Amino acid sequence: MKEQLTPLEDAQLQVLASLPRLDSESIPLSAGNGRVSAENVVTSEAIPPFRNSAMDGYAVIAEDLTGAPVSLDVIAGVAAGSVTGVDVRPGAAIKIMTGAPVPDGADSVVPVELTSVEGGRVTIHEAVATGNAIRQAGSDLSSGTTVLQAGVTLTAYHLGVLASIGHSDLVVSRLPSVAIMSTGNEVMSPQTRELEPGQIRDSNRTVMRALLEDLGVDVLDFGILADDPDIVGRTLTKAAAEADVVVTSGGVSMGEFDYVRDVMARLGAATSWKVAMQPAKPFTFGTVDGTPVFGLPGNPVSVSVAFEQFLRPGLLSMMGADRMFRPRVLAVAETAFTTAIAKTVFLRVCLRNDARGLVASLAGGQGSHQLGALADADGLAVVERGIDVVPAGSDVWVELHRAPAQVTLADRCQPDGPSG
Ligand code: AMP
Ligand code: MG
């Protein structure tokens, strides 16, 4: 019998559509880095607020400089942070520092490098155009400009703009709290020294915590659960009461001890999919007492791919972020990539720049248990359904996890060293 698979986009749309929107809160500007704005900000001030000098030099009337060199009377000086009541008149100059208000009457600033001074007079050696080295009021932002939209994830530069207009209290989306837990009788704490036969260490919780920390969210750790429906049920209920979102790993497949699916269905509404994706085909999403629960698969690479395709966009959409996915770049496949025609396939790839532009090469073994290749990878090549092979040299989209390697540095994916 042919397996019924749900297209990835359908599962994503269904998950995103059912997530609640978090409310907003007020925070100081200094706490804004990485937060998602929940307000539109319009500046009522022009930036810069006044016409000022872009250089240290002399404020002059450009017309006075025809036939340079010319000599002008230095009638005053003005530094940043002060104003002069003196106007520039024909035949005169005012000494001015970068950032100081340009005195009335002047239409240009001559950089100090083009001048020499003697006594109370300055010689201007070269003429400059009208407006030279003057920053007009409002030339960065004019009053009435929308400087920030709701949904923008704030960077240092957004914060800088907000600082410049004196917007010192921000309205941002609240950060969700996320409960994490691993399941599996074989799964042991990472602190376990000696594993008994059949046991493995829990890597998923560590991965999930770090990926969540990247989003700045508050992580509540519910540890490792045995494959026992009562324990899973009790812990899910407790976690759902304490957190905005619950994430589990393992126990959503077709195995005899995969209880997470059944328990979620018993406790609330849950949909278990076989998503047309590789890895991370089994995936369960539902609610327990109204709290969204993401049931990720157990295999470590599946956890990461399901996190990237469902949880990360889900949390960002709860925060109202307008950019929910990792950036995608186009790269050239170094070798042929063989994939599965019925699924959206995510391949762990390394990226480097050469004469062809970005080049993607497989980071190592592509099994869903091979976390080592994921650690080496710069991102995931995304090969859509309907394609079974990406020929060497053809274009492939890559979802970036980090910046590509520099050509000049040793590249673990290129045993012969970088080419091109
Ligand atoms: P499951 O989805 O529970 O059937 O698990 C699938 C595979 O992932 C099995 O080989 C598990 O041993 C492994 N696995 C499950 N949970 C974890 C975990 N927390 N850390 C590392 N591997 C895990
Ligand atoms: Mg398991």
Side-chain angles (χ1 to χ4, degrees):
M1 201 184 80
K2 214 161 167 247
E3 200 175 34
Q4 271 301 314
L5 297 176
T6 306
L8 172 58
E9 316 78 72
D10 293 0
Q12 283 173 317
L13 280 174
Q14 211 171 311
V15 169
L16 291 177
S18 60
L19 291 170
R21 181 76 157 70
L22 293 163
D23 45 16
S24 55
E25 63 184 357
S26 194
I27 59 163
L29 179 63
S30 58
N33 199 10
R35 299 295 298 268
V36 178
S37 169
E39 62 180 337
N40 296 326
V41 179
V42 176
T43 176
S44 58
E45 282 179 24
I47 305 294
F50 52 88
R51 189 172 81 129
N52 68 89
S53 179
M55 302 192 86
D56 298 322
Y58 291 86
V60 299
I61 299 166
E63 217 171 52
D64 279 355
L65 310 183
T66 21
V70 297
S71 169
L72 304 172
D73 226 359
V74 180
I75 54 173
V78 59
S82 63
V83 291
T84 171
V86 182
D87 293 358
V88 172
R89 48 176 171 72
I94 290 180
K95 192 174 184 183
I96 191 165
M97 302 302 142
T98 305
V102 176
D104 287 348
D107 62 14
S108 311
V109 169
V110 180
V112 73
E113 292 82 352
L114 302 181
T115 67
S116 51
V117 204
E118 218 184 297
R121 295 185 69 79
V122 60
T123 302
I124 312 279
H125 298 284
E126 278 177 39
V128 297
T130 305
N132 189 64
I134 290 184
R135 303 187 284 215
Q136 298 298 339
S139 57
D140 182 5
L141 305 170
S142 54
S143 157
T145 305
T146 299
V147 298
L148 180 67
Q149 307 265 7
V152 171
T153 300
L154 297 168
T155 65
Y157 307 119
H158 296 114
L159 299 175
V161 167
L162 295 171
S164 74
I165 65 165
H167 192 80
S168 55
D169 292 300
L170 311 182
V171 182
V172 295
S173 175
R174 189 168 66 75
L175 288 170
S177 59
V178 183
I180 58 173
M181 63 195 75
S182 294
T183 70
N185 288 340
E186 77 283 26
V187 179
M188 306 301 290
S189 147
Q191 278 92 40
T192 309
R193 281 292 178 85
E194 302 275 335
L195 294 171
E196 301 291 334
Q199 295 181 336
I200 56 164
R201 292 189 188 85
D202 178 5
S203 58
N204 289 345
R205 232 165 5 116
T206 298
V207 169
M208 292 192 292
R209 169 184 284 282
L211 289 171
L212 289 166
E213 283 172 353
D214 285 348
L215 292 171
V217 309
D218 194 12
V219 179
L220 310 179
D221 192 346
F222 282 79
I224 302 167
L225 316 188
D227 289 318
D228 173 320
D230 291 336
I231 294 175
V232 172
R234 256 184 285 127
T235 315
L236 276 181
T237 304
K238 189 166 188 295
E242 289 180 23
D244 293 305
V245 171
V246 179
V247 194
T248 65
S249 96
V252 294
S253 256
M254 303 302 284
E256 200 175 330
F257 303 101
D258 288 334
Y259 290 119
V260 174
R261 271 169 21 133
D262 299 346
V263 170
M264 276 174 64
R266 174 163 60 75
L267 290 179
T271 312
S272 290
W273 284 288
K274 285 180 179 166
V275 183
M277 73 192 289
Q278 184 183 308
K281 183 179 70 174
F283 171 65
T284 298
F285 175 79
T287 56
V288 171
D289 301 327
T291 301
V293 181
F294 290 72
L296 308 187
N299 275 306
V301 180
S302 307
V303 165
S304 121
V305 172
F307 186 101
E308 294 295 343
Q309 299 308 313
F310 292 105
L311 189 57
R312 192 170 193 281
L315 293 170
L316 286 167
S317 116
M318 289 175 75
M319 291 189 257
D322 59 6
R323 298 181 190 199
M324 299 186 293
F325 292 94
R326 301 268 199 187
R328 278 190 184 190
V329 295
L330 209 51
V332 176
E334 174 84 300
T335 56
F337 298 162
T338 307
T339 68
I341 197 156
K343 296 172 185 166
T344 304
V345 176
F346 294 89
L347 300 167
R348 276 64 76 204
V349 295
C350 295
L351 291 174
R352 69 197 156 79
N353 278 293
D354 75 9
R356 292 168 288 178
L358 275 179
V359 179
S361 52
L362 294 180
Q366 298 290 317
S368 59
H369 63 293
Q370 287 171 307
L371 196 50
L374 188 54
D376 285 342
D378 299 313
L380 298 172
V382 187
V383 185
E384 298 296 348
R385 267 191 339 275
I387 298 171
D388 59 354
V389 62
V390 178
S394 63
D395 285 345
V396 65
W397 285 105
V398 177
E399 263 185 32
L400 286 181
H401 290 176
R402 62 174 181 183
Q406 302 294 319
V407 176
T408 49
L409 297 180
D411 183 347
R412 291 183 69 174
C413 300
Q414 290 296 311
D416 305 332
S419 62

